[in-house]
Amino acid sequence: IQFSKTPTNNILTVFKDNSEYVSTKNSLKTLEQAISKAPIGLMIWDENDKLIIASEKTIKAGEDYDFKFTPGASRIEARKVVAKNVVKDEDLSDELWAENAQKEWSGLTGSQIRFRELKNGNVDLIEETRLPDGSGVVFNIDITELKKRETELARFKTSIDNSPIRIMMFDDEGQLI
């Protein structure tokens, strides 16, 4: 509701239905909360590679590496910080790794999935998607425990294959594996 006084001292009352605006505003607030509380690393970047929003998990990871994932943060600067903690070829500098990663991102159309091994032994599954307007979304999932189990199962298989006694395994339906 808006009240305006006319030059002849009359009061003009204007009513505007803003329920659609309120609904949109509430939906955006819900989306912001969902991103913030996501149980994975999640970042949304604008077309200029500036951060729009990040999940709390991403913000915490950034703090561990002395980087602040705040709105407006530079993607290339984030890459430089990550480069210090990534397992990579010894002859590849952090700067060059970050530049290569940024070039790959800049040329991305659609989506890509990759793995990132960190110096602390963690393994991340990264899924990056470029949106039609040039912005992008990045999902970062810690799969360290899955990778450990995968390694343990591979060792188990090797030990069975090399066992001096014959070992047979059956599935739930009694079929030989």
Side-chain angles (χ1 to χ4, degrees):
I1 301 175
Q2 181 180 356
F3 299 101
S4 299
K5 195 172 188 179
T6 65
T8 58
N9 286 328
N10 292 319
I11 294 182
L12 177 64
T13 307
V14 179
F15 295 90
K16 182 178 180 185
D17 180 6
N18 67 348
S19 54
E20 185 177 329
Y21 168 78
V22 170
S23 176
T24 301
K25 186 177 176 182
N26 289 339
S27 294
L28 287 173
K29 187 174 182 177
T30 299
L31 179 61
E32 181 180 2
Q33 290 172 355
I35 291 169
S36 178
K37 298 295 182 186
I40 61 172
L42 195 158
M43 296 160 277
I44 299 178
W45 302 90
D46 70 14
E47 66 280 0
N48 297 313
D49 295 332
K50 300 294 182 192
L51 185 67
I52 295 172
I53 189 170
S55 66
E56 290 175 359
K57 191 160 189 145
T58 297
I59 293 167
K60 171 72 173 95
E63 289 170 355
D64 292 345
Y65 297 124
D66 294 324
F67 186 80
K68 293 184 189 275
F69 279 100
T70 55
S74 164
R75 184 170 169 84
I76 187 66
E77 293 305 316
R79 294 279 191 160
K80 289 176 183 176
V81 171
V82 169
K84 297 175 189 173
N85 301 293
V86 170
V87 175
K88 57 188 171 301
D89 292 335
E90 290 180 19
D91 59 334
L92 192 61
S93 71
D94 292 346
E95 187 77 25
L96 186 57
W97 183 91
E99 287 174 14
N100 290 343
Q102 188 62 23
K103 284 178 191 172
E104 192 174 309
W105 168 255
S106 295
L108 180 64
T109 57
S111 299
Q112 73 176 0
I113 296 175
R114 59 188 173 82
F115 296 96
R116 178 174 64 202
E117 196 173 333
L118 302 174
K119 291 178 181 176
N120 67 4
N122 287 1
V123 179
D124 293 334
L125 171 69
I126 311 289
E127 183 165 359
E128 301 172 307
T129 300
R130 272 290 197 180
L131 303 174
D133 69 354
S135 61
V137 61
V138 178
F139 300 95
N140 179 7
I141 303 167
D142 183 348
I143 60 167
T144 305
E145 290 304 315
L146 289 173
K147 281 296 194 181
K148 285 179 183 176
R149 284 190 219 135
E150 186 179 273
T151 301
E152 290 169 1
L153 286 172
R155 285 184 189 142
F156 181 66
K157 182 186 180 314
T158 301
S159 64
I160 288 174
D161 290 345
N162 296 317
S163 174
I165 59 172
R166 185 169 205 108
I167 298 174
M168 293 186 290
M169 297 179 70
F170 298 86
D171 64 17
D172 293 340
E173 297 173 359
Q175 298 295 319
L176 182 63
I177 298 177

